[in-house]
Amino acid sequence: MTTRGVLYVHSAPRALCPHVEWAVAGVLGVRVNLDWIRQPASPGTWRAEFSWQAEAGTASKLASALRGWHLLRFEVTAEPCPTAEGERYSSTPELGIFHAVTGMHGDILIPEDRLRAALARSARGESELEEEIAKLLGKPWDDELEPFRYAGEGAPVRWLHQVV
């Protein structure tokens, strides 16, 4: 079963751009040439985005291939399909990677065990419940990535389809 998704590379140093393309190509199994444009939110960095179509689980493979690269900010999304929920991955150098399961309308679906753990930490006084819920929803990542998202408005999108 296939799904569609989008990779947003919000900022990457110029020297890292070809490595991003190679990593994405390795996951998708096709040559990838992204249209890189300057990222005004972080001078000296570049941004790119493209849409892909591949088997369910590809978003996690893309996120895994890109995670941990210092100075790289990215998001990967995948739409739900008949065999899998949707997904969203966000990554920043400061926060690391965030993963959320998304429903058919794009809402974040928080697993019961993660909610129970957040409630328990709050009840023990280790954190505030509002802070815990914000983390479960990815708010710190959204706050950090928001300036990079707006800076990318009007950027070209590469549509990349793979038949499985």
Side-chain angles (χ1 to χ4, degrees):
M1 188 60 60
T2 62
T3 187
R4 294 162 144 350
V6 180
L7 168 65
Y8 304 93
V9 179
H10 292 299
S11 70
R14 188 64 171 163
L16 195 55
C17 295
H19 298 281
V20 170
E21 291 178 356
W22 296 330
V24 173
V27 171
L28 297 176
V30 296
R31 184 182 167 116
V32 174
N33 292 307
L34 301 177
D35 293 323
W36 295 97
I37 60 171
R38 294 184 189 278
Q39 173 52 276
S42 180
T45 65
W46 297 78
R47 69 173 324 281
E49 58 187 68
F50 69 90
S51 178
W52 52 267
Q53 182 174 332
E55 65 185 29
T58 298
S60 64
K61 292 175 185 175
L62 288 168
S64 292
L66 299 175
R67 75 179 291 174
W69 289 5
H70 189 60
L71 301 179
L72 182 65
R73 289 178 182 86
F74 70 89
E75 291 182 277
V76 182
T77 62
E79 296 177 1
C81 66
T83 60
E85 297 287 355
E87 296 182 279
R88 177 179 147 213
Y89 292 87
S90 302
S91 183
T92 73
E94 294 79 20
L95 298 172
I97 200 156
F98 167 78
H99 171 253
V101 174
T102 57
M104 61 188 264
H105 298 293
D107 297 320
I108 291 178
L109 309 175
I110 302 171
E112 180 180 342
D113 62 330
R114 293 184 70 196
L115 280 171
R116 288 184 189 280
L119 287 170
R121 284 189 295 276
S122 176
R124 290 190 303 266
E126 296 172 10
S127 62
E128 296 293 322
L129 183 58
E130 184 176 341
E131 177 185 322
E132 290 287 335
I133 291 172
K135 286 180 189 174
L136 290 172
L137 295 172
K139 185 175 180 341
W141 287 265
D142 286 339
D143 290 347
E144 189 170 326
L145 290 172
E146 199 64 21
F148 295 89
R149 292 175 182 147
Y150 283 118
E153 286 183 4
V157 176
R158 163 92 34 116
W159 297 92
L160 191 62
H161 301 283
Q162 175 182 353
V163 178
V164 180

